[in-house]
Amino acid sequence: MLKVRNLTNVLQQKLQLGFRCLAICCFCSCVVFGGESFSEEKRVVTIGVLDSSLSATDKSAIAQTLEALENLPGYRLDVQYYNPSELEEQLIQKKLDYFIGTSGFYRRFQSFGLRSVATLFTETAPNPRYATGSVFVVRNDSPIKTISELKGKSALASWSKGFSSYFAPMGEISKQGFDPESFFAAYKTYGPPMTNLLQKLENHEGDVVLIRACLLEDLEKTQPDIFKRFRVLEEKKDNRLRCKHSTDLYPNWTLVATPSAPWTETREITKCLLNIPDSTGFGWATVPDFNTIDELYKSLKAGPYAYLRIQTVQSFIYHYRFPLLFALFCILMLCVHSWRTNVLVKRRTQSLRLAYEKEAELRRKIRESELRIDQLQKTEIIGAMSSLIAHEINGPLATIDNYCRGIKRKLEVEGIDGSWLNRPLSLIAKQTSKISDIVSRVRAYAKRDEPEFTKIEADKLLKTCVSDIRMRYPNCRIVLSETEPSVVLGHVLEFEVLLENIIKNAIQAAQAAETNRIEIRQICENNSMFIRIFNASSVCSSEELEKHLQPLHSTKNQGLGIGLLICRTIAEKMRGNLSITYKDGEVFTEVKIPLFVSQEKENADQNC
């Protein structure tokens, strides 16, 4: 018993080890092979096949072609079969990448942006350019011997707009000098298979059957007496097609690419088709042109040449008389309806228009009031902030000034050469003094104290401002033309603030337009001094510029919108004005200030 138990334990351990190895192998195979299958996502290629009357040779060749395309790596075929009308609908809805159909069907819809990839050739039709034709089949006991004798007879076919069942036979009829549209007394279609058409012909339901060439030879394999029961009219003798045919020959079945087919995919499909070995009994080749089919459609005034049917206004009216009458009736009814609707609309909307105008006026007034209140609130806040800053900033300014003086004094006491610090300390002291003056002016405004005007050498002050601003904006090119000596009356600090603000605004506008260049001109004429600034701007119109010039409006993230308001106020206090205009992508800023004229000179001018 002990030996049996030991043997059982050994077997259990080996079985467990075997199951573990099997599980590991299954997992690895799933990871390797399953991962590849999931990682390689295949693109679905949608191919439509025209479900027409194919000969046995063509049917076998197309089936083998689809099998070859199935083996293309990275692609998965979605093959659907359609009759001519269904295939046309699929093309209109752009649901196909490719389709295999008759070359006549392809050329009839070439305006859809279709392009041929390759054309089929077989042992029966070794030349792909001359491989498709039609036959006129009659009963063997029929008295009809030629195609011309079919005039006024009844014809049977599979499709009303099929290439082999309609266009190719009608082309032969037109070639013999007859009108294809009035040649047959009746043209009946029944669809495939062809045996049904032949049966109806035997039953005297028609006089002739129009079918694709080579179909009779295929039926002969199962019905050896086919050519004893039926015969072909006006068989053409040539070596291009090894089947009986009554019409000219045209290119064979063609694989066609639609506009939605990628070029890389089309290249791979073309390579696959052209590499099919000849030993299979068929192949694919590129046909350089389809002129024979185009000439056929042109002679029939069909397909892409249907517009040739209408050559005069009378023919157009006669051909479309019923649609035109219906359209005219619809237009007349539309005019009546439109007139009646306009009358009702005018009556109904008169009161609504008046109400809307009143409402719009009220909304405008409300918006103006809200804007006015908003500006007053901003002005109040700015005034409070200005008073607070003016009250509190004197202490830090005095401290900065004292430190500058202390540094200079310490360098003098310790005998240290501080000449290299003189200019920076002087600039700090100058700017501190300037800030102090600005604060004093703000406080004076608050007290309603008007400053005393002094003589200002405007040209020199302009050069000084430009020099300071160049140091602050080294990347901007500021072009200052030659200045003229000019003296104006005003407050120096206020005039300096005016110049600095308009120059900085011009620089910032030029930088926004990515030009980094402004031009400044100063001239004197008509007892006035003009400072003109030209700069590029991102503004596109005068209307847009007007929006930017609104008080308390600023495009800067930290702007308050009071800079231009201050500048305009200063210019007006100096009995001048400030104007900003837009023209041809540039902004033109002009400051006009009256020149100072002494009393003696003014009296002399008056005496003169």
Side-chain angles (χ1 to χ4, degrees), residues 516-533:
N516 287 333
R517 182 185 184 278
I518 68 170
E519 183 181 352
I520 304 174
R521 301 173 188 171
Q522 184 259 341
I523 60 174
C524 297
E525 58 186 18
N526 298 328
N527 293 328
S528 296
M529 180 202 66
F530 297 88
I531 298 176
R532 294 165 179 165
I533 303 175

Side-chain angles (χ1 to χ4, degrees), residues 1-12:
M1 292 295 292
L2 182 61
K3 291 181 179 181
V4 172
R5 188 178 295 109
N6 291 336
L7 181 61
T8 303
N9 292 335
V10 170
L11 288 174
Q12 288 178 351

Side-chain angles (χ1 to χ4, degrees), residues 336-386:
V336 173
H337 174 73
S338 177
W339 171 80
R340 182 174 178 276
T341 303
N342 286 334
V343 172
L344 293 176
V345 168
K346 287 180 180 178
R347 293 175 182 175
R348 297 286 195 276
T349 58
Q350 186 64 30
S351 57
L352 293 177
R353 186 182 295 108
L354 295 175
Y356 176 78
E357 290 175 356
K358 292 180 180 179
E359 184 181 355
E361 181 66 20
L362 289 175
R363 283 200 300 267
R364 185 185 63 79
K365 291 181 179 179
I366 291 172
R367 282 197 300 268
E368 291 178 354
S369 301
E370 291 176 348
L371 182 60
R372 206 175 300 117
I373 293 171
D374 187 45
Q375 290 179 349
L376 290 174
Q377 290 176 345
K378 287 183 180 179
T379 306
E380 183 180 355
I381 293 171
I382 292 171
M385 291 173 61
S386 300

Side-chain angles (χ1 to χ4, degrees), residues 461-511:
L461 186 58
L462 176 61
K463 291 179 180 179
T464 303
C465 289
V466 170
S467 178
D468 292 342
I469 291 175
R470 278 174 176 163
M471 295 175 61
R472 279 181 272 171
Y473 296 92
N475 295 327
C476 183
R477 184 184 174 194
I478 303 175
V479 180
L480 176 61
S481 61
E482 290 296 327
T483 60
E484 299 180 16
S486 53
V487 178
V488 297
L489 284 178
H491 192 278
V492 176
L493 178 61
E494 290 182 350
F495 191 54
E496 187 177 354
V497 169
L498 167 63
L499 295 177
E500 287 187 354
N501 267 282
I502 60 175
I503 294 173
K504 284 193 297 183
N505 284 344
I507 291 173
Q508 291 166 358
Q511 289 176 341

Side-chain angles (χ1 to χ4, degrees), residues 217-231:
E217 284 75 5
D218 291 340
L219 289 175
E220 188 179 18
K221 297 175 183 178
T222 57
Q223 303 179 28
D225 62 339
I226 190 74
F227 285 108
K228 294 181 180 179
R229 297 155 49 201
F230 306 99
R231 57 185 168 82

Side-chain angles (χ1 to χ4, degrees), residues 65 68-69 71-73 75 98 117-118 255 263-277 283-286:
T65 299
L69 294 178
N71 296 326
L72 282 175
Y75 299 102
Y98 304 90
V117 176
L255 189 143
W263 69 270
T264 52
E265 182 180 285
T266 304
R267 181 184 63 179
E268 296 299 324
I269 290 177
T270 304
K271 288 164 57 179
C272 176
L273 295 180
L274 298 181
N275 288 330
I276 293 177
W284 294 83
T286 56

Side-chain angles (χ1 to χ4, degrees), residues 99-258:
F99 73 87
I100 300 176
T102 61
S103 53
F105 183 90
Y106 152 53
R107 297 304 289 179
R108 189 151 57 98
F109 298 102
Q110 59 179 320
S111 60
F112 287 13
L114 308 178
R115 292 294 179 268
S116 65
V117 176
T119 302
L120 179 69
F121 65 88
T122 61
E123 293 179 348
T124 305
N127 189 338
R129 294 184 64 180
Y130 305 100
T132 299
S134 301
V135 288
F136 292 79
V137 180
V138 297
R139 295 183 300 277
N140 205 15
D141 58 353
S142 174
I144 299 173
K145 303 297 182 182
T146 62
I147 294 177
S148 60
E149 296 177 15
L150 292 173
K151 183 173 177 58
K153 304 297 182 181
S154 175
L156 308 178
S158 55
W159 304 106
S160 60
K161 296 300 179 182
F163 184 74
S164 302
S165 58
Y166 182 81
F167 291 105
M170 294 304 173
E172 187 65 26
I173 292 171
S174 175
K175 188 177 177 181
Q176 295 193 14
F178 297 99
D179 181 10
E181 294 189 359
S182 60
F183 185 76
F184 291 111
Y187 180 86
K188 305 174 185 178
T189 57
Y190 297 96
M194 294 299 107
T195 52
N196 289 346
L197 297 177
L198 297 175
Q199 184 64 43
K200 291 180 180 297
L201 182 62
E202 279 191 314
N203 294 338
H204 297 270
E205 296 182 25
D207 300 299
V208 62
V209 171
L210 311 179
I211 59 175
R212 182 183 179 86
C214 296
L215 291 181
L216 289 178
E217 284 75 5
D218 291 340
L219 289 175
E220 188 179 18
K221 297 175 183 178
T222 57
Q223 303 179 28
D225 62 339
I226 190 74
F227 285 108
K228 294 181 180 179
R229 297 155 49 201
F230 306 99
R231 57 185 168 82
V232 176
L233 295 180
E234 298 188 15
E235 177 185 351
K236 294 183 181 292
K237 303 293 184 179
D238 55 53
N239 297 324
R240 292 174 174 175
L241 181 64
R242 297 168 185 172
C243 297
K244 297 177 181 292
H245 55 280
S246 307
T247 66
D248 292 337
L249 297 178
Y250 305 94
N252 208 346
W253 286 70
T254 303
L255 189 143
V256 181
T258 66

